[in-house]
Amino acid sequence: MLRGMRKASSNWLGKTIMAVVMGVLIISFGVWGIADIFKGFGQSTVAKVGSTEISLNEFRQTYTDRLQQISRQFGRPLTPDQARAFGLDRQVLQQTIAEAALDEEARRLGLGQSDEQIRQVIMNDPNFKGVGGSFDPNRFQAVIRNFGYTEQRYVSEQRKVSLRRQITGTIGAGLEPPKTMIDVLTRFQNEQRAIEFVRLDAAQAGTIDAPSPEALAAYFEDHKVQFRAPEYRKISFVVVSPEEIGKWSEVSDEDAKKVFDQRKDRLGTPEKRQIHQIVFPNVAEAQAARERLAGGMSFEDLGKERGLSSADVDLGLVTKSSLDPAVGDAAFALPAGEISQPIQGRLGTSIVKVDKIEPGSEANYASLVGDIKREIATERARVKVNDLRDKMEDERGGGASVIDAAQKLGLTAVTIDAVDRSGRAPNGQPVTSIPQGLDVVSQAFNTDVGVDNDAISFKGGYVWYDVLAITPSRDRNLDEVRDQVEARWRQDQIAAKLKTKATEMVQKLEQGGKLADEAAAINAKVETASGFKRDDSPAGVPANVVAAAFRTAKDGVGQTAVSGGSEVIVFRVTDIVEPAADATSDAVKKLKDSLDRALTDEQVASYVNKLETDIGTTINQAAFAQVTGANQ
């Protein structure tokens, strides 16, 4: 922003505008007072719920965390515009306000949670348990760090979550969906249908004569907007990322071999063993159990005696490094089928049995040298990225274009002469010179020629871009798109003929005709599909045909256009099977659990809305827009 102000004030017009702007700011200070800028609701608070203020920094942290989580799920960064389009900004705000309202209510009710209770909640969280089934401090740190939490912040957040659950758990307690609701939904979800159907395609449409020049011209005039040329933009950009800079770096065989030797054990495929393990509180119990196992008792039966499931006993195929060191040493020294002596580990005394051995393989330098060199080059390039970023920003701050700045710094700028909003060139093909995952096109369409745009973060580096020219959207003339217009006209003619033919067929079927006879008359074949539910995708049956079949009564007929009208399916519903509601089945139990959660969520939402109203909720729209980028 400062760089833009500096550039804007570099000529007489810019200086005049900046003088007016600064004058307005000075007048506002005189009217409202400078102190009001630094205090009060408007500047540092996004929302106020009762006596709880949600600070701008607190909401920014929450919103940023959520954006990063969604971005990881998408596998690409989510821009502020995309987040707002998805409604993520409002969703996070509503969630934050709801949590603040519950925190207020917890304080009013005098609820509390001791340090020991919070510790037990975290220790019992299955997300933090290691291979042995107990709390793993290293896994705990890794998981919370991956989601952007420090230990102190995570513990504090869990304390609030526990108190909120005390309230919401009470609100939702005892709710149960009515039996009638379960029965109706069970029938709806599990009802099955069978159909017979015929496909009508271009072969049944008959011959389509070429359109006359007058007919084609008239069709073009009626559909001119469909053939309109989109807006195109000429853009240039330069990528400065570790991966990109690493392409220019040369790594010696000596350096690559050194890294290979250091990582040789990790680069190879480690030996894996399928292991059964049971942990005992002391050596005596372990030794007694081993004697029973040696006498023919299975691990599964011994585990059942101790209240363990087969999943608790069978560790699956594991590597040595994933086990307790003492257990790993003993287990990986055993032959297949052998039972170990009692092993004293960190979790207690264990007995293990090796069922299967998958040998490992050593890493091969020749097959990995390319990847190793690229990794070394990328790692070295990370150091250069920040230096180039500063130099590029200095050049841009001095008024240099992306192309000029790139040339001065020895970087390669990419210029795309014309690209539309979808990333396609005028020939309709995707532009291939844009790196995968780089959202430079949508950014370019949100700015203008001559605007000094902020850099885009990309793969640990940065991308600078300029819009060099804009070609506005325009109506094409018929000569430019004659082939496309004729192809579209032909498609419409086929669709119209098929619809007419399908309508005639349906009328005959409704009057008692047989689908097999009608199919034979147009040289088509009868196909069938049976036993499908509403959400199923039977082979060869489009989704809209399935939906239409469930809107049609038994022995009823219908028609559905597919593939944009170039194919029409005529069908008859031959059977409807209504399921019996079995309250003991897994499907009904899952449905009941889903309904339980839905009813509970609805009840809690109503309660929270009432809380927010009773204790008072105020939103600072300006601060909210500042965090989410809506004011940019």
Side-chain angles (χ1 to χ4, degrees):
M1 186 176 108
L2 292 175
R3 186 168 70 228
M5 293 173 66
R6 182 168 66 248
K7 288 180 65 179
S9 59
S10 61
N11 55 61
W12 69 269
L13 179 60
K15 290 178 180 177
T16 302
I17 294 173
M18 292 304 296
V20 172
V21 171
M22 295 309 295
V24 171
L25 289 177
I26 292 170
I27 291 172
S28 70
F29 292 163
V31 174
W32 302 108
I34 295 176
D36 285 341
I37 294 176
F38 302 102
K39 70 179 184 180
F41 174 83
Q43 294 299 319
S44 61
T45 303
V46 171
K48 188 173 182 180
V49 185
S51 62
T52 299
E53 290 191 356
I54 301 170
S55 72
L56 188 142
N57 287 336
E58 178 186 355
F59 182 71
R60 178 181 285 114
Q61 179 69 57
T62 302
Y63 187 64
T64 301
D65 289 346
R66 186 62 177 144
L67 271 182
Q68 291 175 347
Q69 291 172 15
I70 297 293
S71 296
R72 282 193 292 269
Q73 293 173 4
F74 281 178
R76 57 177 293 181
L78 196 67
T79 67
D81 288 342
Q82 291 170 331
R84 291 195 301 277
F86 291 144
L88 186 64
D89 53 347
R90 289 287 169 183
Q91 178 186 335
V92 175
L93 178 64
Q94 291 167 2
Q95 179 182 341
T96 306
I97 289 174
E99 290 171 350
L102 288 170
D103 293 342
E104 281 276 308
E105 183 69 355
R107 283 192 291 272
R108 187 188 71 81
L109 295 173
L111 302 180
Q113 196 87 356
S114 69
D115 292 341
E116 179 58 27
Q117 288 174 315
I118 293 297
R119 178 177 173 276
Q120 289 300 321
V121 168
I122 295 174
M123 295 278 286
N124 292 328
D125 191 327
N127 293 304
F128 305 140
K129 291 185 177 181
V131 175
S134 62
F135 177 76
D136 185 342
N138 294 326
R139 181 175 176 82
F140 168 70
Q141 293 292 342
V143 171
I144 66 171
R145 186 167 58 248
N146 187 49
F147 284 92
Y149 284 94
T150 63
E151 181 175 336
Q152 182 178 5
R153 182 180 165 215
Y154 183 79
V155 171
S156 174
E157 186 64 27
Q158 286 305 298
R159 188 182 303 278
K160 292 179 182 178
V161 170
S162 294
L163 296 179
R164 294 169 197 154
R165 285 175 178 168
Q166 289 185 37
I167 298 173
T168 57
T170 302
I171 298 301
L175 290 176
E176 189 166 327
K179 182 178 183 300
T180 302
M181 179 186 289
I182 295 175
D183 291 344
V184 169
L185 286 175
T186 297
R187 286 197 299 272
F188 182 84
Q189 288 183 350
N190 297 313
E191 178 184 312
Q192 297 180 7
R193 299 211 169 191
I195 61 172
E196 58 178 3
F197 61 96
V198 172
R199 301 177 190 273
L200 309 182
D201 56 24
Q204 281 74 44
T207 303
I208 307 293
D209 295 328
S212 67
E214 295 77 16
L216 191 64
Y219 180 85
F220 174 67
E221 286 299 321
D222 291 341
H223 300 82
K224 185 178 289 187
V225 68
Q226 298 177 13
F227 304 99
R228 185 177 175 83
E231 177 182 317
Y232 290 102
R233 298 206 168 194
K234 181 178 181 179
I235 64 174
S236 63
F237 64 89
V238 61
V239 179
V240 176
S241 68
E243 180 180 336
E244 192 70 20
I245 296 174
K247 294 177 182 177
W248 317 329
S249 304
E250 291 187 3
V251 178
S252 67
D253 285 326
E254 181 183 355
D255 290 344
K257 190 67 167 65
K258 185 184 297 183
V259 171
F260 174 79
D261 291 338
Q262 291 172 350
R263 303 180 182 177
K264 189 173 182 179
D265 292 340
R266 285 178 289 159
L267 293 173
T269 303
E271 177 185 326
K272 291 184 178 181
R273 297 190 170 204
Q274 185 172 17
I275 294 174
H276 282 70
Q277 176 189 31
I278 297 179
V279 182
F280 301 87
N282 53 62
V283 176
E285 284 192 35
Q287 186 60 51
R290 187 189 184 283
E291 292 174 2
R292 297 177 68 192
L293 291 170
M297 188 178 195
S298 70
F299 260 76
E300 288 79 4
D301 291 341
L302 182 60
K304 288 178 182 178
E305 282 189 3
R306 306 185 67 84
L308 301 174
S309 67
S310 59
D312 296 328
V313 174
D314 187 356
L315 303 184
L317 277 170
V318 295
T319 59
K320 184 177 179 180
S321 61
S322 65
L323 301 172
D324 180 306
V327 175
D329 289 341
F332 276 74
L334 287 174
E338 290 291 324
I339 300 172
S340 73
Q341 295 294 331
I343 309 162
Q344 186 61 50
R346 291 181 300 192
L347 302 175
T349 305
S350 302
I351 293 178
V352 299
K353 177 187 176 186
V354 177
D355 286 336
K356 184 172 68 173
I357 299 176
E358 286 190 1
S361 61
E362 288 191 3
N364 180 271
Y365 175 73
S367 64
L368 297 172
V369 61
D371 293 335
I372 292 174
K373 285 188 174 183
R374 279 191 293 273
E375 183 180 344
I376 295 173
T378 300
E379 191 60 37
R380 290 175 178 174
R382 294 185 195 280
V383 180
K384 299 180 183 179
V385 167
N386 290 335
D387 180 53
L388 284 171
R389 177 200 61 195
D390 295 340
K391 290 179 179 179
M392 192 72 184
E393 286 291 335
D394 288 342
E395 292 297 324
R396 298 282 283 154
S401 67
V402 164
I403 294 176
D404 291 340
Q407 288 176 345
K408 185 171 182 180
L409 298 176
L411 302 173
T412 302
V414 176
T415 298
I416 300 173
D417 290 328
V419 62
D420 66 14
R421 289 180 182 272
S422 66
R424 296 179 180 274
N427 63 4
Q429 298 301 311
V431 175
T432 58
S433 53
I434 300 175
Q436 187 173 5
L438 175 58
D439 189 24
V440 70
V441 172
S442 66
Q443 299 286 346
F445 272 84
N446 287 329
T447 183
D448 210 337
V449 176
V451 174
D452 183 11
N453 306 295
D454 291 332
I456 305 171
S457 295
F458 178 65
K459 291 187 175 180
Y462 306 90
V463 177
W464 289 266
Y465 66 97
D466 279 337
V467 176
L468 305 178
I470 298 175
T471 303
S473 176
R474 65 176 179 85
D475 286 333
R476 293 186 174 110
N477 60 54
L478 178 57
D479 289 338
E480 291 180 88
V481 290
R482 184 175 298 274
D483 291 343
Q484 298 175 36
V485 174
E486 186 168 347
R488 185 72 61 84
W489 176 88
R490 184 175 295 277
Q491 290 175 5
D492 287 356
Q493 293 295 308
I494 291 173
K497 287 196 171 188
L498 291 180
K499 182 173 178 59
T500 300
K501 193 173 289 290
T503 301
E504 293 173 354
M505 185 181 292
V506 167
Q507 290 173 349
K508 291 179 180 179
L509 293 174
E510 289 176 339
Q511 293 169 5
K514 295 182 179 180
L515 189 61
D517 295 339
E518 297 302 322
I522 60 172
N523 198 27
K525 68 176 182 178
V526 177
E527 301 178 61
T528 60
S530 61
F532 58 86
K533 301 177 183 178
R534 295 175 189 273
D535 296 330
D536 289 347
S537 301
V541 183
N544 57 344
V545 175
V546 172
F550 275 89
R551 294 193 299 267
T552 306
K554 187 175 183 301
D555 297 323
V557 295
Q559 60 169 301
T560 303
V562 296
S563 304
S566 61
E567 182 179 86
V568 178
I569 291 180
V570 175
F571 67 89
R572 184 195 298 276
V573 177
T574 57
D575 193 21
I576 297 176
V577 179
E578 293 189 358
D582 181 4
T584 62
S585 69
D586 290 339
V588 172
K589 289 178 181 177
K590 288 179 181 178
L591 174 62
K592 184 177 180 300
D593 289 342
S594 297
L595 290 173
D596 283 342
R597 287 192 296 271
L599 290 173
T600 299
D601 290 345
E602 183 178 352
Q603 187 85 346
V604 169
S606 298
Y607 177 80
V608 171
N609 287 337
K610 184 70 165 57
L611 270 183
E612 292 172 7
T613 302
D614 290 347
I615 64 181
T617 302
T618 312
I619 300 173
N620 181 351
Q621 295 292 348
F624 173 67
Q626 178 183 342
V627 172
T628 60
N631 61 352
Q632 296 178 357

